[in-house]
Amino acid sequence: MTVSARAAAAATPDSRDRYVDLLRVASLAAVVLGHWLMAAVSGDGIGNLLALVPPLQVLTWGLQIMPVFFFVGGFSHALCHRSLERRAQGPVYAAFLRARLRRLLRPTLVFILVWAALAPAVQLTGHGRGGLTGAALRLVTQPLWFIGIYLAVVAFTPPLLRLHDRHGWAVFAALAGAAALVDVLRFALGVPYVEFLNFALVWLAVHQLGFLRADGRLTRPALLAAAGLAGAVLLVAFGPYPLSMVGMPGEKVSNMAPPTLALLCHGLWLVGAVQLLARPATAWLARPRVWRGVVAANGVAMTAFLWHLTAMLGVYAAQLALGLTLPEPATAAWWAQVPLRILAAAALTAALVAAFRRHEAPARDAAHPGSGPAAVLGITLCVLGVLGLSVTGLGGLLEGHTATLIALPVTAPAAIGMALGGLLLVERSGSARRVRLGG
């Protein structure tokens, strides 16, 4: 049974931290808007506006707010896991994974399967090898990297939460220190492959700040923001780190892939900044109409994120199909079309959300026998599958195109199979006892 946004908003308990829900929506919305702005599309393919106009890269210090999503995730995961421990008897790892991943994995796999069906049809028509269509088949799965990393962070939550309960800030300090050491080994000593460790260390450190917020221990947000911003500025000014906080085509060093110490500092200043806004934002969210809007947006946020690039590419494809000329990116004519393109992409995204939103709806907890090891194997397969598809794309689906995930060769069909198999294991790994979930 689907609960309306109005009913869900009216039933919100006074104890709920509404600001966290706003941050979740706002962070994903900023990413969507940033992607729509960055895409420099022409008839020959898809470029990056920030690479064409390098001074605009400073905007990523405001628009790259994905760290806020991981911070919010840490807060919510702490509440969920602790709620399960209070209500359940015995280990709760499998039930925790299933509770946190259902709403994420189901819409993700629907998106993957729809595009996996479309991609061969496009290739068979002969339009999938080059130009805009070929670039689209490579680009459309790239945002899955975020979901893959987030899945891994969820899997590490229970052990890291236990460490947090014992050692508090020391756990964050250890993760941040390890991330810094990785960059020293990478840039100063040239140790190969060590940089990939920061895919875990940087995002887990930001996630750990969410645990601290859940315990009310982020008491000096101004100091956190100032220290993070100063660190990021110094690292970019005097270190080997680029200005952009998102990846740029052709650059030797990216702050995102793998994440760097500069990105971690960027995350610290963002977390401090949003904490400074918590009190006025919470008062604003007390208005019924505002809160209903946030509840409604939260109910479809992941679906919108998954399909927003499809919508943007659909807008450009429609322009080409209608015989409309695509202006050269970054020209006056191109900028003049930006508001119209964003409105059209938003409208098409809304249509796609209407079509697929039911897959994001929370599901009842089903009683399935299972075990913690099955949950671990399932989440591992999901992470590898989703990340694998983000690097392979769907452009070479029929040819068996292979890409490298860290040091492992992977194909799109294999990645899809791993993701589907992982979801099945996660679904069957919950406690046989029905448990009321919190958080």
Side-chain angles (χ1 to χ4, degrees):
M1 178 179 172
T2 302
V3 179
S4 69
R6 181 181 294 273
T12 303
D14 293 337
S15 59
R16 187 174 184 88
D17 192 328
R18 300 184 181 198
Y19 186 47
V20 166
D21 294 284
L22 175 63
L23 290 178
R24 184 183 296 112
V25 170
S27 58
L28 288 178
V31 172
V32 168
L33 180 60
H35 285 168
W36 285 346
L37 287 172
M38 285 194 309
V41 178
S42 66
D44 296 326
I46 304 173
N48 191 311
L49 177 66
L50 301 181
L52 295 174
V53 190
L56 292 179
Q57 292 178 17
V58 71
L59 296 178
T60 63
W61 288 51
L63 287 176
Q64 167 52 301
I65 62 171
M66 195 59 80
V68 174
F69 191 90
F70 282 84
F71 165 62
V72 167
F75 176 89
S76 299
H77 297 157
L79 294 188
C80 176
H81 193 271
R82 288 168 176 171
S83 176
L84 274 172
E85 286 187 317
R86 288 194 302 268
R87 302 173 193 277
Q89 295 179 357
V92 299
Y93 185 79
F96 170 77
L97 282 187
R98 189 169 55 168
R100 303 316 293 175
L101 299 187
R102 274 178 165 179
R103 197 167 174 180
L104 182 63
L105 280 175
R106 289 182 178 181
T108 299
L109 287 173
V110 169
F111 168 81
I112 289 172
L113 292 175
V114 169
W115 262 107
L118 289 174
V122 172
Q123 285 187 272
L124 289 172
T125 65
H127 297 293
R129 298 180 184 275
L132 178 59
T133 307
L137 291 178
R138 295 189 299 272
L139 177 69
V140 75
T141 63
Q142 285 185 9
L144 295 178
W145 75 264
F146 149 70
I147 294 176
I149 296 296
Y150 194 75
L151 291 172
V153 168
V154 172
F156 280 105
T157 290
L160 285 176
L161 185 58
R162 284 194 293 272
L163 287 174
H164 164 79
D165 290 338
R166 293 178 183 176
H167 305 292
W169 273 99
V171 182
F172 166 79
L175 290 168
L181 177 61
V182 164
D183 275 12
V184 170
L185 294 174
R186 174 187 181 185
F187 294 118
L189 301 178
V191 177
Y193 300 114
V194 70
E195 64 268 24
F196 293 108
L197 291 174
N198 270 352
F199 274 116
L201 294 171
V202 168
W203 293 118
L204 286 172
V206 176
H207 187 255
Q208 206 75 15
L209 292 174
F211 296 168
L212 291 161
R213 187 185 193 278
D215 289 346
R217 300 179 69 176
L218 288 183
T219 56
R220 297 183 179 179
L223 178 61
L224 186 66
L229 184 58
V233 169
L234 290 173
L235 288 170
V236 169
F238 301 106
Y241 305 97
L243 173 65
S244 175
M245 290 298 162
V246 300
M248 290 289 102
E251 65 183 357
K252 293 182 179 180
V253 176
S254 166
N255 281 320
M256 277 292 294
T260 63
L261 182 61
L263 183 68
L264 176 55
C265 289
H266 172 69
L268 294 183
W269 99 257
L270 286 177
V271 168
V274 298
Q275 282 293 99
L276 288 171
L277 297 173
R279 182 172 295 179
T282 300
W284 181 61
L285 290 166
R287 301 178 182 180
R289 183 175 297 180
V290 173
W291 178 235
R292 284 198 299 271
V294 172
V295 170
N298 256 300
V300 298
M302 188 53 59
T303 302
F305 173 80
L306 287 165
W307 290 98
H308 77 279
L309 283 183
T310 302
M312 180 200 72
L313 295 167
V315 169
Y316 279 109
Q319 284 186 265
L320 291 174
L322 293 172
L324 302 177
T325 302
L326 294 179
E328 283 297 312
T331 62
W334 186 89
W335 281 109
Q337 288 188 4
V338 165
L340 293 175
R341 282 198 302 269
I342 289 178
L343 286 174
L348 186 50
T349 300
L352 290 167
V353 165
F356 296 107
R357 62 178 296 176
R358 66 184 183 276
H359 301 290
E360 192 174 346
R364 291 183 178 179
D365 183 44
H368 292 308
S371 65
V376 172
L377 178 58
I379 190 63
T380 301
L381 288 173
C382 286
V383 169
L384 293 176
V386 172
L387 288 178
L389 196 58
S390 75
V391 298
T392 64
L394 294 167
L397 196 61
L398 296 179
E399 294 88 352
H401 167 71
T402 300
T404 301
L405 177 62
I406 304 179
L408 301 173
V410 63
T411 64
I416 294 170
M418 284 190 289
L420 288 171
L423 175 62
L424 180 62
L425 282 171
V426 170
E427 287 282 4
R428 296 184 62 83
S429 66
S431 172
R433 178 185 176 187
R434 187 167 298 185
V435 179
R436 183 183 174 185
L437 304 178

